[in-house]
Amino acid sequence: SMQCLPGLVLALSSLLGALALLQLSLYLRAPSRYGKHEERLCRPRGQLPARCAWFLQELPSFLVPALLLALRSPPRLEPLGCRLLCCLFCWHYFYRTFIYPFFTRGRPFPLQLLFFGMLFCIYNGFLQGYYLIYCAEYPNDWCTDIRFTSGLLLFLLGMGINIHSDLLLRQLRKPGEVTYKIPQGGLFTYVSGANYFGEIVEWFGFAIATWSLPAFAFAFFTLCCIGPRAYHHHRYYLKTFTDYPKSRKALIPFIF
Ligand code: NDX
């Protein structure tokens, strides 16, 4: 049966941090090629409907930690914090896998990115799940620790912003439409990347609540992956719409 290998956790977390830096350097120059940043000329055959693509891509992030949690023998009953935190992670990916894809009105998604996205979700799902279920040690009163409570609050706040913003984006289109409009309402009043802002707050909250290297590495990865994307969305809007609200920032309300 599996055991905690601290060296493995350290290696996988470091690699995640390195991937984050690689992404940052790639995506500061040019955005990753899906959605509004896809080059229109290319390959209709190399794409999958957004629904299937997001479902397949995100599924491992739900399945891998859920299976690790369910199949661990003997089951880990103590401390409560480990199971609770693992459930938070699965809860987000339950939404992203089983709810978000079925409502999306997004354009078809490139197969090549889907492949890498899936690999990433397997990798990260394993790292977060394995760490929490086999390695993490928390005192029995972790649930009342300021790190757990403040992190959980941020996680919930971020998740709320993320889901609400996903909904506002979806409502910009009628079914079958593929055009882009100016997002309005919610945190979009202040930033172009409201959904990304929510997601980043969410994973930093998770990192604080778990107080762990793998979760901080993932929060950093998220920042490096979708932070630049918010900036490219912002530039796209400024270029496309002459009446785009002048006071709106890219990612962080009032600041950047
Ligand atoms: N999936 C995370 N890297 C990514 C897929 C791509 O969950 O090889 C990271 C994730 C992956 C990436 C993932 C990891 C890195 C990869 C990359 C591919 C290459 C890269 C693997 C896994 C890689 C190295 C080199 C390091 C190996 O038509 P449309 O689709 O544009 O429609 C959109 C619509 N919309 C509008 N509609 C009307 N008017 C407008 N103005 C509109 N603007 C947008 O809204 C979509 O249907 C929808 C949302 O669009 P958008 O562009 O705002 O968000 P999107 O990027 O599609 O993300 C959707 C949600 C969002 O809530 C976001 O927070 C979350 O997923 N997300 C996304 C990416 C990563 C991530 C979370 C995370 O890191 N936690």
Side-chain angles (χ1 to χ4, degrees):
S1 80
M2 259 198 275
Q3 281 179 339
C4 177
L5 302 168
L8 181 66
V9 171
L10 182 62
L12 294 180
S13 305
S14 310
L15 184 58
L16 191 55
L19 277 179
L21 290 174
L22 173 68
Q23 294 222 110
L24 188 64
S25 71
L26 289 177
Y27 296 154
L28 279 180
R29 264 168 267 166
S32 115
R33 300 270 170 222
Y34 67 92
K36 55 172 80 68
H37 306 294
E38 166 137 45
E39 282 145 1
R40 271 145 212 270
L41 311 166
C42 64
R43 8 140 262 226
R45 272 164 61 236
Q47 297 182 326
L48 217 61
R51 263 165 218 220
C52 317
W54 280 91
F55 175 79
L56 289 174
Q57 175 177 269
E58 308 292 318
L59 182 63
S61 277
F62 170 78
L63 220 50
V64 172
L67 285 176
L68 284 173
L69 184 63
L71 299 181
R72 183 186 153 137
S73 63
R76 186 170 190 184
L77 298 176
E78 298 284 331
L80 175 67
C82 295
R83 276 169 301 146
L84 217 60
L85 288 161
C86 192
C87 286
L88 280 189
F89 185 85
C90 291
W91 184 28
H92 170 90
Y93 281 103
F94 182 86
Y95 161 74
R96 184 66 74 220
T97 306
F98 296 101
I99 300 175
Y100 176 77
F102 294 96
F103 292 105
T104 180
R105 290 172 187 166
R107 300 168 49 195
F109 194 89
L111 266 175
Q112 204 187 352
L113 294 189
L114 168 73
F115 176 75
F116 286 116
M118 249 183 111
L119 279 185
F120 173 78
C121 288
I122 295 171
Y123 184 97
N124 189 50
F126 176 78
L127 174 57
Q128 306 301 329
Y130 175 75
Y131 174 78
L132 285 172
I133 294 156
Y134 286 91
C135 299
E137 299 286 350
Y138 295 108
N140 278 325
D141 59 355
W142 183 248
C143 299
T144 57
D145 189 289
I146 183 76
R147 285 164 289 184
F148 180 87
T149 49
S150 61
L152 179 65
L153 212 68
L154 276 180
F155 177 88
L156 295 174
L157 184 73
M159 192 176 193
I161 293 172
N162 180 250
I163 292 177
H164 181 231
S165 309
D166 279 346
L167 180 86
L168 291 174
L169 282 176
R170 177 162 54 82
Q171 289 172 343
L172 290 172
R173 290 175 178 168
K174 297 192 188 72
E177 237 181 350
V178 288
T179 52
Y180 291 106
K181 295 169 194 154
I182 300 181
Q184 305 283 3
L187 268 200
F188 283 111
T189 313
Y190 307 103
V191 289
S192 300
N195 52 340
Y196 296 151
F197 175 73
E199 181 109 14
I200 290 167
V201 168
E202 190 178 348
W203 294 119
F204 273 99
F206 182 73
I208 294 168
T210 60
W211 207 251
S212 71
L213 185 63
F216 274 105
F218 176 47
F220 180 60
F221 179 92
T222 300
L223 180 68
C224 295
C225 177
I226 59 186
R229 205 170 154 79
Y231 163 76
H232 289 293
H233 278 13
H234 191 63
R235 286 217 329 193
Y236 169 92
Y237 287 134
L238 289 173
K239 207 175 63 191
T240 311
F241 303 104
T242 49
D243 56 339
Y244 198 68
K246 293 280 174 298
S247 61
R248 203 178 284 190
K249 302 288 183 193
L251 181 64
I252 304 167
F254 310 114
I255 298 176
F256 173 72

